[in-house]
Amino acid sequence: MDSSTENDPLEEVNGSELGHKEITPLFARYTMLTFAGLAAQAVMVVIEGLVIGRGLGSNGLATVGIIMPLEYLMLALGGFFAIGTSTLCAMRLGEGKEKEARRIFGQGSWYSIIVGLTVAILIAVFASQVATLLGATPQLHSEVTTFIRIFMIGYPFCMIGHVTVYMVRVDERPDIATWAMSSSAIIAALWLYLSVFPLHIGFIGAAFYYAFSIGIWGFFFVYFIFSRKSKFQIHWSDLKMDKKIILAISKIGFPFMLIQASSTVFTMVLNNFLGKYGTQMDIAAFSVINSYIIYILMLITQATSGGQQPIASYNYGANLFGRVIKLIKVSLIANIVGIYILASLCFVFSNQIVAFFVGSGSSLVEMAGGYSKIVVSCAALGLTANLMSGYFQAVERILESTILGICRYLIFGIPAIFIMAHWLGVTGVWFSQPVSDVLAFLLTMWLTVREIGRLKKFEKKSN
């Protein structure tokens, strides 16, 4: 092992843009490149809804709805591996331990591939039983089973794709992440349109779309095989199993898994209460709001978090605590301002946005448009919890990350639904979201102020 490489963090920091470039433009660059890729994915999701809804009809929408838990599982597992691996790698780079960082990347890569293959094979083998468990009706059972088996072809690619997109940012090549996300969105959306309309292969085409809409990211892993400029060029010696590294990756990635689980549970509870105190129209309204309007707002937080995390991990590892403090402040302001700008547009044009998806003549437009104004009113506050959860993950503060990751939905959201529905009926169910957002924001600010104080103490000691 080259001791000069491993033990000279100052030299590594001076040679890295993560450690020496001005925080605000650096954060802006990484965030905007992340947002560009996410925006392409958002366009893909919008096209998906239009093509499947108009090309495959109610059966197509029902099939997609049934397999969505498998989509959430894929996102949860992909984020689990990607966040755990990239956070550890960025921190070790900040400490000047490039060889150790590369070894962590090797471990995270094979870990994600093996787990992805194992999960995909198990689900494919028991696809019929899984379809029943997910609620497939007898009329749709055959189509759902086929859909699941095709979807599983892309699962391992999705896992390593997530790792790739996160790691190229740590490697100071966020442009590659943008290309991966953008190109996959274009290819997948084009394939979905062609398969549903000109080719008329229906469910099979849609299934392949789901398999590779994110799975295409995995093909960009070749960058780490062939690029000699990469700090993380794959070496076979780095692939030998190390239980300590695997456990460390799992520890950091686990909060993200909980966040995904909490959003799923919250959605199930909310739907049940809307059905109990409201009507089927309330459930349909929430489906439109959650699937599209909230999804669009969350793009801002996903982008700011994607821009923040590699910078935070690197500088924390390099003991550059003043830069970390500035990053926290800049990212919080950017997140809140960005979401409020977008939320204002959603507030003003809520009916038009709903009509775009359900048709201007639908009776759902007025209801969903009105309720969307309630839901977006405080979303900028609530989503700060997601942003800071990502930050705490990036600096290995797992307890704080987990608390903030689940607070908006599990700690505050679900209790608010129970209490407010009892008092106000279906109106209380809808207003529970802004109440939860405000409470999540207050908790986030308290933990953030405490964290800045902790970093200032470390900064004084290091000086």
Side-chain angles (χ1 to χ4, degrees), residues 55-129:
L56 300 180
S58 58
N59 282 352
L61 291 172
T63 300
V64 170
I66 290 168
I67 62 93
M68 280 310 294
L70 297 180
E71 175 84 356
Y72 295 146
L73 174 63
M74 178 270 291
L75 294 173
L77 287 173
F80 170 83
F81 297 120
I83 291 171
T85 302
S86 63
T87 296
L88 277 179
C89 287
M91 293 188 74
R92 296 302 174 266
L93 281 182
E95 294 166 1
K97 300 176 180 178
E98 187 171 310
K99 289 184 179 179
E100 186 177 337
R102 193 183 67 222
R103 178 164 171 74
I104 291 168
F105 173 58
Q107 296 289 297
S109 298
W110 78 254
Y111 184 25
S112 66
I113 292 172
I114 289 176
V115 172
L117 277 171
T118 303
V119 172
I121 291 170
L122 286 172
I123 293 176
V125 169
F126 298 101
S128 179
Q129 293 87 336

Side-chain angles (χ1 to χ4, degrees), residues 165-177:
V165 164
Y166 274 74
M167 283 302 303
V168 290
R169 295 183 188 126
V170 177
D171 206 22
E172 300 180 359
R173 290 299 307 273
D175 54 310
I176 294 178

